[in-house]
């Protein structure tokens, strides 16, 4: 079983497929490429599901790759070490699932350069899985940087034939913005990693960069906080925390639908995962020191973005801002520094990943049919697309936090976890004040639903078709996930323990 | 007044500074080259002085001064040749005119 | 003396003999036989590499009354210089074709520059250093001005003036150092400064020496030449200019900082500040530039300043990172300039001129893209490893240098911006793909481009062996 269910297959098979798709020998037949990619994604999802089934938290998957009997870079103590523990496996399965949905929904959104598109999608998946599974700081950083290349091309590429050209230029600009912001963040992170590596070596005498070998114990307290701040700046760009968020709405808005699903569903979670892996686990002292500040930042994220969101008229922007708001909730759960808070934030990562993927899917479907994303111009979609309206209303209700669906559990658990926190009163206050999120989110999401789906339909859109089989599959599977985790949250919370 | 090592060094320093400032500030290409030669002279005075007063056992200072004189001459020759090639196009000695790049 | 020649100087002498042969041939052969010039210099380089095996390195060997030395450190740098020379000669095909009449002289000058570089690395006193520095310099002036047209002459002239000025500054420092210690031999100076107190004059002399030498690396006070020279220069000569003088100068600067200038604590800070200013200048200058060659010039200056900063923080570990960085950097740079050479120097080099050429020349542009992202320091390339390895060295040098490191890291983001500016137009969509140029490179040019890109990727995936080598070399200094 060890050989069959191993981490390298999970990570490197997508990378190999990506290279295969990029090579000139592979067929450039559109249908074949799409079917091939889709089937690989489905198999990958099944594979990761198998890994989840055979996973036991007491016995995490660990894999160490030695090249010719040597570590990767011995003189720095960098090892090719991969480790999947409870949180990693949840994120891996989520990644695999969302990518599968994205590939299914790519059929109508991607009209050009199929080989390159799927190749980049595989590369992105490989890099994200690498982030979730790497057991070494520098390896983590490698995948963190690697993810930028495919993300750039996916956001900024020209994948449609029928655009009027305006979105194309915007897409390039926002991809550049994304890459510069991310790179800036990752440079701060690199500084944190370098300092942590050095001080761990100087104080503990172990030349190693693996997570398990790092211990904060003897590092001077001031330097710990410094390192933590640098690391948080890196993750804060990805998360995003408010002053560093301005890349996100542009990137999400201008990317094609499947890419938006992936970005909001998975890519943002890497930031939260990084905070958990580095700050929460390795630097607990400085995390406790910084937790109140993080809680306040999270509160600002939640409240400020909710108001900004209400003012938006572009439906994709609404969803993008709402995901910033929700990431604030995840950050609050982490900052609480309690067991409930942690499991709540992991749970909310999954729940929000599903919800936001569904919402972006709906936006994509609407844009594909009506060529417009402004809620003031859209109206009466429900009369021609009743099935979409059904899905949209359920997913929107889920995202607001109606019981029965996963986000409700995530939100409530996060607030409970934050209230239990014994670190500081600030966190409790933050939890208390983040409760209005439920109201605010219902304001903007219901506005979105109301304005675009009800009312009178414009003349020229009478002949629009309802959702197709592909779109139905995607929305239905997201809905299934939401309901399953809403009714049985223990599937995730029990795994974290 | 007795002439000590420091007097020679002062002359060397002054020549060197004149050379550096001249080569930066001069507007005429030929003047720039002359300034570089003045700088060379200053350095050579330094070397010879130190060779006389400090490095008594060896002739290192004198040798390096000799070599540098030769090197400076070659450098000047190359510079003048390449300047000649440029001059054929511009017909001017003003450094402002050689700013096409 | 004969012993010395046979023990350590055979590579240099073989190269010298080949230079004489080329000069003699240039008088007798007709211009039509220009093809053999490259062949002869490649033979010269390979015989010189063969002769490197005869060099005695263990223990350190001092020859010609301590004027030259050899250990595994010099051996590595000589080997690197020769290998870079080999690659550069392969890409000079187009250039040699345009100057048929002077092909032999050109190759002779090129080998002279290599010889100068090798002598710089193995110098053990300031006189040898001066002479070999100028040996390299003189041939570099001609190499820059070799291509047709006015621009190359102007570039060469600017380089000469800067070079002469910086040599002056360097020698002025040397004269004071000579005055303080009474010797120009590195070993003697090192002995003197370890046994005696040093004064302010010593620090000033050290700073001037380093300033003078660093001008060839385009570090701050004499950095402006690099823009003009890169703009006016042929790209195959640029492949030379951006690698070999850099390798040679870093080789000697690292040794100088460790030994004869090692007693000056202030020097470290001067170097750090100068590098930071250079990095700031170069990276901000490149943002607005549209000419690819100028952007690469700024990147050369910036990269040199990163390595220079690390070299200034004297420690064995830092030395190994500098060597590793230089190797990776030389490989990437040769490949980048090989691509520009294939693209053709007659075409204008503005960023937008490269629009969409990826669609017609996938292999070549792919290799070029790998080299550029390696320069930017993105994973699976050697640039990523080199950058991380270099920055660990700065991070390990103490808390005082953390602000410097922070600045460098932020500047890396700026650098990424202009590298992307070079790279992204290649992949742009074009309306009529028939008009795009199809490049038809000769085998040798393609060979250099692909081999260097392949080395970049291989080091990026498995750097361990090279890093071990660098550490070994650094410990043996």
């Amino acid at each position: 079983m060890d050989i069959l269910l191993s981490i390298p297959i999970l990570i490197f098979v997508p990378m190999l497929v990506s290279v295969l798709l990029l090579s000139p020998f592979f067929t450039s037949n559109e249908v074949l490429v799409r079917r091939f990619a889709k089937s690989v994604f489905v198999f990958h999802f099944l594979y990761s599901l198998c890994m989840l089934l055979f996973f036991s938290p007491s016995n995490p998957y660990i894999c160490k790759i030695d090249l010719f009997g040597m570590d990767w870079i011995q003189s720095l103590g960098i090892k090719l070490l991969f480790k999947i523990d409870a949180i990693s496996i949840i994120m891996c399965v989520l990644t695999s699932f969302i990518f599968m949905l994205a590939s299914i929904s790519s059929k109508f959104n991607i009209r050009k350069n199929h080989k390159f598109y799927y190749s980049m999608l595989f590369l992105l998946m490989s890099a994200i899985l690498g982030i979730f599974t790497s057991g070494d700081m520098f390896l983590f950083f490698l995948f963190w940087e690697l993810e930028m290349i495919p993300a750039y091309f996916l956001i900024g590429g020209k994948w449609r034939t029928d655009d009027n050209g305006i979105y194309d230029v915007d897409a390039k600009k926002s991809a550049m913005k994304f890459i510069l912001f991310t790179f800036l963040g990752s440079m701060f992170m690199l500084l944190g990693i370098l300092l942590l590596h050095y001080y761990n070596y100087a104080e503990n005498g172990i030349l190693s960069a693996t997570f398990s070998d790092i211990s904060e114990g003897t590092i001077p307290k001031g330097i710990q906080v410094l390192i933590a701040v640098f690391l948080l700046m890196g993750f804060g760009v990805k998360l995003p925390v408010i002053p560093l968020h301005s890349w996100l709405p542009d990137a999400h808005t201008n990317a094609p639908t499947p890419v938006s699903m992936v970005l909001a569903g998975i890519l943002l979670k890497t930031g939260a995962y990084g905070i958990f892996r580095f700050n929460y686990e390795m630097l607990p002292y400085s995390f406790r020191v910084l937790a109140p500040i993080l809680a306040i930042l999270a509160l600002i994220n939640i409240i400020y973005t909710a108001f900004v969101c209400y003012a938006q008229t572009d439906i994709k922007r609404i969803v993008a801002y709402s995901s910033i708001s929700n990431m604030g909730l995840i950050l609050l759960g982490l900052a609480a520094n309690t067991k409930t808070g942690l499991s709540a934030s992991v749970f909310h990562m999954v729940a929000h990943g599903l919800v936001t993927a569904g919402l972006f899917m709906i936006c994509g479907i609407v844009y594909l049919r009506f060529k417009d994303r402004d809620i003031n111009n859209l109206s009466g979609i429900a009369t021609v697309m009743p099935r979409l309206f059904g899905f949209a209303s359920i997913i929107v209700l889920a995202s607001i936090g109606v019981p029965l669906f996963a986000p409700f559990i995530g939100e409530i658990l996060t607030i409970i976890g934050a209230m239990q926190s014994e670190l500081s009163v600030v966190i409790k206050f933050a939890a208390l004040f983040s409760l209005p999120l439920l109201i605010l989110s219902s304001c903007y999401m219901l506005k979105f639903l109301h304005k675009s789906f009800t009312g009178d339909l414009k003349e020229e859109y009478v002949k629009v078709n309802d959702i197709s089989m592909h779109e139905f599959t995607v929305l239905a599977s997201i809905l299934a996930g939401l309901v399953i985790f809403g009714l049985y949250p223990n599937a995730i919370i029990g795994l974290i323990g | 007044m007795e002439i000590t090592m420091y007097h020679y060094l002062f002359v060397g320093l002054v020549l060197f500074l004149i050379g550096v400032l001249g080569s930066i500030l001069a507007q005429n290409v030929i003047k720039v080259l002359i300034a570089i030669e003045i700088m060379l002279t200053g350095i050579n005075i330094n070397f010879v002085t130190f060779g006389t007063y400090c490095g008594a056992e060896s002739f290192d200072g004198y040798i390096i001064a000799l070599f540098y004189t030769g090197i400076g001459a070659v450098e000047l020759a190359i510079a003048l040749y390449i300047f000649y090639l440029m001059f054929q196009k511009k017909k001017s000695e003003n450094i402002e005119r050689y700013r096409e790049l | 003396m004969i012993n010395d020649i046979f023990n350590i100087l055979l590579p240099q002498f073989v190269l010298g003999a080949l230079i004489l042969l080329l000069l003699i041939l240039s008088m007798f052969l007709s211009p039509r036989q220009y093809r053999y010039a490259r062949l002869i210099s490649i033979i010269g380089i390979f015989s010189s590499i063969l002769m490197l095996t005869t060099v005695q390195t263990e223990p350190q060997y001092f020859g010609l009354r301590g004027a030259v030395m050899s250990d595994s450190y010099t051996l590595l740098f000589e080997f690197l210089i020769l290998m870079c020379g080999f690659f550069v000669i392969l890409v000079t095909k187009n250039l040699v074709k345009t100057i048929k009449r002077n092909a032999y002289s050109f190759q002779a000058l090129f080998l002279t520059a290599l010889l100068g570089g090798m002598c710089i690395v193995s110098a053990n006193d300031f006189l040898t250093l001066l002479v070999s520095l100028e040996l390299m310099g003189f041939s570099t002036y001609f190499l820059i001005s070799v291509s047709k047209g006015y621009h190359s002459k102007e570039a060469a002239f600017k380089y000469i003036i800067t070079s002469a000025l910086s040599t002056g500054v360097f020698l002025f420092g040397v004269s004071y150092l000579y005055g303080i210690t009474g010797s120009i031999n590195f070993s003697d100076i090192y002995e003197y400064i370890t046994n005696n107190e040093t004064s302010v004059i010593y620090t000033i002399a050290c700073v001037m020496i380093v300033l003078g030498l660093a001008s060839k690396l385009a570090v701050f006070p004499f950095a402006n030449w690099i823009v003009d020279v890169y703009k006016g220069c042929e790209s195959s000569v640029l492949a030379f200019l951006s690698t070999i003088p850099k390798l040679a100068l870093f080789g000697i600067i690292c040794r100088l900082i460790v030994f004869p200038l090692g007693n000056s604590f202030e020097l470290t800070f001067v170097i750090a500040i100068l590098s930071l200013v250079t990095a700031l200048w170069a990276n901000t200058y490149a943002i607005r530039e549209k000419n690819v060659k100028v952007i690469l010039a700024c990147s050369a200056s910036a990269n040199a300043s990163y390595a220079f900063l690390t070299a200034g923080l004297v420690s064995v570990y830092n030395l190994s990172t500098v060597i590793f960085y230089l190797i990776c950097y030389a490989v990437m740079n040769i490949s980048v300039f090989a691509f520009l050479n294939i693209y053709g120097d007659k075409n204008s080099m503005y960023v937008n001129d490269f629009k969409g050429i990826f669609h017609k020349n996938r292999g070549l542009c792919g290799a070029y893209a790998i080299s550029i992202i390696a320069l930017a320091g993105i994973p699976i390339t050697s640039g990523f490893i080199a950058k991380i390895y270099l920055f660990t060295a700065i991070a390990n040098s103490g808390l005082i240098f953390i602000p410097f490191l922070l600045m460098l890291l932020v500047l890396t983001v700026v650098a990424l911006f202009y590298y992307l500016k070079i790279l992204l137009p290649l992949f742009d969509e074009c309306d009529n793909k028939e008009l795009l140029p199809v490049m038809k490179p000769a085998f040798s040019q393609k060979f250099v481009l692909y081999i260097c890109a392949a080395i970049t990727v291989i080091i990026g995936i498995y750097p361990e062996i090279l890093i071990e080598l660098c550490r070994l070399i650094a410990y043996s200094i």
Side-chain angles (χ1 to χ4, degrees):
Chain A
M1 198 48 77
D2 277 358
I3 300 168
L4 283 180
L5 292 179
S6 69
I7 305 170
I9 294 181
L10 192 73
I11 301 171
F12 291 117
V13 164
M15 205 182 268
L16 287 180
V17 173
S18 151
V19 174
L20 179 71
L21 281 169
L22 211 57
S23 70
F25 309 111
F26 199 81
T27 172
S28 55
N29 185 333
E30 181 191 325
V31 180
L32 279 182
V33 169
R34 198 165 55 219
R35 288 192 181 152
F36 172 74
K38 223 185 311 182
S39 49
V40 173
F41 274 117
V42 171
F43 275 115
H44 192 274
F45 174 60
L46 292 178
Y47 186 80
S48 61
L49 216 55
C50 279
M51 287 188 89
L52 179 65
L53 288 180
F54 287 98
F55 181 77
S56 71
S58 56
N59 183 22
Y61 298 103
I62 292 177
C63 163
K64 193 177 162 207
I65 303 171
D66 289 340
L67 291 161
F68 312 111
M70 282 202 273
D71 294 332
W72 193 37
I73 303 177
Q74 253 169 344
S75 51
L76 294 179
I78 303 176
K79 299 182 187 69
L80 281 177
L81 185 78
F82 296 97
K83 182 180 172 186
I84 293 191
D85 56 8
I87 292 175
S88 297
I89 190 89
I90 294 166
M91 299 317 292
C92 284
V93 175
L94 178 68
T95 310
S96 197
F97 183 60
I98 303 263
F99 267 94
M100 186 181 74
L101 299 184
S103 78
I104 294 172
S105 69
S106 298
K107 184 179 175 184
F108 300 106
N109 291 291
I110 306 301
R111 290 299 168 86
K112 281 168 83 179
N113 301 337
H114 290 81
K115 274 176 73 174
F116 189 56
Y117 170 77
Y118 285 108
S119 160
M120 287 297 123
L121 211 55
F122 276 113
L123 193 59
L124 185 61
M125 174 150 109
S126 173
I128 291 175
L129 287 173
I131 291 174
F132 286 138
T133 57
S134 57
D136 183 293
M137 291 193 297
F138 285 98
L139 203 60
F140 182 95
F141 181 71
L142 189 149
F143 284 113
W144 187 274
E145 295 263 279
L146 184 63
E147 149 222 293
M148 285 191 321
I149 306 173
Y152 175 84
F153 284 112
L154 287 173
I155 296 170
K158 196 174 180 193
W159 308 116
R160 304 176 60 86
T161 46
D162 51 346
D163 260 349
N164 42 9
I166 301 166
Y167 284 109
D168 194 42
V169 178
D170 281 355
K172 261 190 193 142
K173 272 188 191 161
S174 52
M176 195 67 167
K177 206 169 167 184
F178 163 78
I179 212 167
L180 288 179
F181 262 89
T182 320
F183 203 72
L184 184 66
S186 68
M187 281 300 128
F188 281 109
M189 196 179 106
L190 176 62
L191 185 55
I193 290 176
L194 289 175
L195 287 178
L196 188 56
H197 178 248
Y198 171 64
Y199 276 98
N200 185 51
Y201 173 56
E203 303 291 336
N204 300 330
I206 314 167
L207 184 66
S208 169
T210 47
F211 291 133
S212 51
D213 286 342
I214 308 277
S215 63
E216 54 149 19
T218 47
I219 303 175
K221 294 275 192 302
I223 290 178
Q224 277 184 39
V225 176
L226 190 71
I227 293 171
V229 168
F230 282 135
L231 287 171
L232 281 175
M233 281 168 91
F235 300 127
V237 171
K238 254 305 161 36
L239 196 63
V241 175
I242 271 297
L244 307 169
H245 73 289
S246 72
W247 61 271
L248 185 137
D250 292 345
H252 283 57
T253 314
N254 291 318
T257 309
V259 179
S260 300
M261 287 165 69
V262 168
L263 284 184
I266 303 295
L267 210 69
L268 305 187
K269 274 72 186 176
T270 57
Y273 178 81
I275 291 181
F276 164 71
R277 204 35 100 200
F278 280 81
N279 293 78
Y280 189 90
E281 274 197 341
M282 288 195 305
L283 300 164
Y285 166 76
S286 55
F287 193 69
R288 282 198 297 276
V289 172
L290 294 171
I293 301 170
L294 285 183
I296 288 173
L297 285 174
L299 188 62
I300 294 172
N301 250 22
I302 293 167
I303 302 297
Y304 169 77
T305 334
F307 280 112
V308 173
C309 197
Y310 191 73
Q312 299 299 318
T313 54
D314 187 326
I315 49 178
K316 265 189 148 178
R317 262 177 191 275
I318 293 177
V319 181
Y321 274 109
S322 85
S323 64
I324 302 181
S325 185
N326 276 291
M327 290 315 285
L329 208 61
I330 290 170
L331 185 62
L332 181 63
L334 281 172
N337 215 350
T338 56
K339 206 139 210 185
T340 324
L342 175 64
S343 48
S345 67
V346 174
F347 188 86
H348 200 61
M349 278 190 223
V350 177
H352 175 247
L354 292 171
V355 156
T356 196
L359 287 173
F360 271 120
M361 187 67 207
I362 292 163
C363 295
I365 293 169
V366 169
Y367 180 62
L368 209 61
R369 304 285 196 284
F370 296 90
K371 302 278 169 254
D372 202 341
R373 293 200 302 242
D374 197 327
I375 46 171
N376 295 325
N377 300 339
L378 293 168
S379 67
I381 299 173
T383 53
V384 274
M385 303 179 76
R387 277 190 282 168
L388 178 68
F389 177 58
F391 276 118
S393 47
I394 295 173
I395 291 178
V396 162
L397 284 181
S399 81
I400 294 168
V402 170
L404 241 181
F405 299 108
F408 168 71
I409 313 261
E411 285 168 12
I412 292 301
L413 264 185
T414 309
I415 290 166
I416 292 173
M419 292 301 269
Q420 284 174 352
S421 167
E422 288 154 3
L423 279 180
S424 159
V425 190
V426 177
I427 298 175
K428 285 185 184 170
F429 269 110
L432 211 60
F433 283 112
S434 68
L435 273 171
L437 168 74
L438 302 174
I439 303 161
L440 290 169
S441 68
S442 58
C443 288
Y444 55 73
M445 287 323 294
L446 287 177
K447 179 185 159 199
F448 156 62
L449 197 65
H450 170 77
K451 279 218 170 183
S452 49
F453 281 86
T454 58
D456 300 326
L457 189 68
K458 279 186 190 166
E459 285 277 312
E460 63 260 41
Y461 296 133
V462 178
K463 286 185 180 169
V464 164
N465 299 322
D466 207 343
I467 50 176
S468 67
M469 199 57 214
H470 281 83
E471 292 154 348
F472 181 80
T473 320
V474 173
L475 290 174
S477 37
I478 287 174
L479 202 59
L482 286 175
V483 173
I484 288 171
F485 291 126
L487 292 177
Y488 185 58
N490 225 22
I492 291 171
I493 296 168
L495 202 61
I496 301 166
Chain B
M1 190 181 77
E2 193 187 353
I3 294 176
T4 60
M5 182 176 90
Y6 297 100
H7 293 94
Y8 291 112
L9 286 184
F10 182 72
V11 174
L13 181 66
V14 167
L15 284 177
F16 176 77
L17 288 180
I18 289 172
V20 170
L21 290 179
S23 63
I24 292 169
L25 298 176
Q27 291 296 304
N28 188 317
V29 176
I30 302 296
K31 274 186 195 163
V32 171
L33 295 177
I34 291 172
I36 285 172
E37 290 303 304
I38 292 174
M39 184 179 75
L40 184 149
T41 317
I43 292 162
N44 275 349
I45 287 176
N46 261 4
F47 270 115
V48 173
T49 315
F50 283 129
T52 313
Y53 287 94
C54 297
E57 312 91 71
S58 66
F59 295 104
D60 286 343
Y62 304 132
I63 295 170
I64 216 169
L66 271 177
F67 265 92
Y68 192 42
T69 316
I71 284 168
V74 177
E75 202 149 36
L76 192 68
I78 296 174
L80 276 175
Y81 172 63
I82 289 175
F83 174 62
Y84 165 72
L85 292 178
M86 288 157 67
F87 186 78
Q88 281 180 330
K89 186 178 175 194
K90 297 271 179 173
K91 306 284 182 211
S92 163
E93 286 162 13
N94 192 340
I95 213 157
E96 292 293 328
R97 299 211 48 198
Y98 297 95
R99 283 207 177 150
E100 280 198 11
L101 288 173
Chain C
M1 179 166 165
I2 298 291
N3 267 345
D4 292 342
I5 290 170
F6 277 102
N7 280 340
I8 61 170
L9 287 174
L10 266 186
Q12 278 95 330
F13 267 78
V14 168
L15 214 54
L18 261 292
I19 292 166
L20 284 181
L21 178 68
L22 277 167
L23 285 176
I24 293 167
L25 285 178
S26 72
M27 285 185 270
F28 291 113
L29 290 181
S30 71
R32 263 174 297 147
Q33 281 154 319
Y34 71 94
R35 284 188 185 77
Y36 305 109
R38 282 199 311 157
L39 190 66
I40 292 172
S41 33
I42 287 171
I43 290 170
I45 285 176
F46 271 103
S47 46
S48 183
I49 288 177
L50 273 183
M51 287 302 149
L52 282 180
T53 53
T54 67
V55 172
Q56 183 186 333
T57 57
E58 289 294 334
Q60 286 186 336
Y61 190 97
F62 296 95
L64 303 180
R65 290 190 203 158
V68 290
M69 68 170 302
S70 113
D71 55 10
S72 43
Y73 177 81
T74 60
L75 193 69
L76 175 79
F77 270 93
E78 284 171 5
F79 176 72
L80 288 176
I81 288 171
L82 286 172
M83 278 317 284
C84 288
F86 168 63
F87 283 132
V88 174
I89 284 180
L90 284 184
V91 297
T92 53
K93 185 171 188 331
N94 288 348
L95 184 60
V96 170
K97 211 183 233 168
T98 56
I99 49 159
K100 280 173 194 167
R101 178 186 287 282
N102 296 321
Y104 285 91
S105 333
F106 172 77
Q107 297 294 352
L109 281 169
F110 187 81
L111 288 192
T112 317
L114 286 191
L115 181 63
M118 286 168 73
C119 293
I120 288 177
V121 176
S122 54
N124 195 39
D125 67 15
F126 281 109
L127 182 57
T128 321
L129 180 55
L130 168 69
V131 173
S132 38
L133 207 60
E134 293 301 316
L135 192 62
M136 193 174 75
F138 293 152
S139 25
T140 312
Y141 307 148
F142 285 116
L143 289 180
I144 293 173
S145 65
V146 80
S147 57
K148 292 211 167 75
Y150 163 79
H151 290 291
S152 62
K153 310 296 181 294
E154 188 181 321
F157 192 71
K158 282 178 176 161
Y159 189 61
I160 291 175
I161 299 296
T162 326
S163 218
L165 197 61
S166 65
T167 311
V169 174
F170 161 67
L171 270 185
F172 195 75
V174 172
S175 74
Y176 276 125
L177 197 62
Y178 173 59
I180 296 166
T181 60
S183 168
I184 53 170
N185 192 299
F186 296 169
S187 318
D188 294 347
I189 296 173
Y190 182 57
E191 207 180 316
Y192 180 89
I193 58 157
T194 43
N195 297 330
N196 294 285
E197 283 286 307
T198 52
S199 57
V200 185
I201 300 288
Y202 171 73
T203 306
I204 292 172
C206 289
V207 170
M208 289 184 92
I209 289 173
V210 170
L211 275 188
L213 287 176
S215 78
K216 289 220 171 29
L217 310 171
V219 170
F220 171 62
F222 304 110
N224 287 318
W225 62 268
I226 195 161
V227 173
D228 293 344
V229 169
Y230 272 53
K231 217 189 256 177
C233 193
E234 231 270 350
S235 52
S236 51
V237 179
L238 281 185
F240 158 78
L241 198 63
S242 66
T243 52
I244 290 165
K246 225 165 239 174
L247 282 170
L249 263 299
F250 264 114
I252 197 65
I253 284 181
C254 289
R255 186 186 284 286
L256 282 178
I257 289 174
V258 175
F259 293 117
L261 315 183
N263 210 7
S264 168
F265 186 66
E266 295 84 351
L267 184 65
T268 308
F269 281 94
V270 172
I271 288 178
I273 288 164
L274 283 181
S275 323
L276 196 63
V277 174
T278 314
L280 267 173
W281 170 79
N283 285 323
T284 45
Y285 191 94
I287 293 176
R288 279 178 294 112
E289 268 303 327
K290 291 254 183 327
N291 190 329
V292 173
K293 277 183 176 172
V294 178
I295 294 175
L296 287 173
C298 295
S299 113
S301 178
N303 279 304
S305 70
Y306 303 157
F308 192 48
L309 174 57
T310 318
L313 314 170
V314 192
S315 84
V316 174
Y317 179 70
N318 292 3
L319 193 58
S320 76
T321 66
V322 172
I323 298 171
F324 184 76
Y325 191 81
L326 284 176
I327 295 173
C328 296
Y329 177 73
V331 173
M332 300 171 220
N333 245 9
I334 288 180
S335 130
V336 166
F337 285 115
F339 177 81
L340 291 187
N341 189 43
I342 291 170
Y343 178 72
D345 281 279
K346 292 196 190 79
N347 306 320
S348 68
M349 285 279 175
Y350 286 95
V351 176
N352 286 334
D353 297 332
F354 289 82
K355 211 164 188 165
I357 56 171
F358 176 75
H359 302 291
K360 279 284 166 106
N361 317 280
R362 283 168 187 264
L364 298 171
C365 293
Y368 175 62
I370 287 174
S371 311
I372 293 280
I373 65 170
L375 280 172
I378 289 174
I380 336 192
T381 55
S382 60
F384 175 73
I385 310 280
K387 214 148 251 178
I388 282 196
Y389 197 42
L390 196 78
F391 288 155
T392 51
I394 305 177
N396 294 2
S397 300
L399 268 184
I400 308 167
F401 294 103
I402 298 306
F404 288 100
L405 183 57
L406 186 62
M407 287 298 292
L408 289 194
L409 286 169
V410 172
L411 287 173
T412 317
V413 183
V414 180
L416 178 76
F417 174 72
Y418 60 74
Y419 287 127
L420 287 181
K421 203 166 71 177
I422 300 177
L423 191 58
L424 292 175
L426 259 68
F427 302 100
D428 272 0
E429 295 285 325
C430 258
D431 297 334
N432 37 1
K433 287 187 178 172
E434 286 71 34
L435 289 180
L436 292 173
V438 181
M439 291 182 267
K440 292 194 185 65
F443 173 73
S444 60
Q445 295 166 319
K446 253 195 299 193
F447 174 78
V448 172
L449 179 58
Y450 286 135
I451 282 284
C452 289
I455 293 174
T456 305
V457 173
I458 290 170
I459 295 177
I461 290 171
Y462 191 61
E464 181 58 32
I465 297 169
L466 194 60
I467 288 183
E468 278 304 311
L469 177 75
C470 294
R471 284 164 66 82
L472 203 73
I473 299 289
Y475 277 104
S476 78
I477 191 170

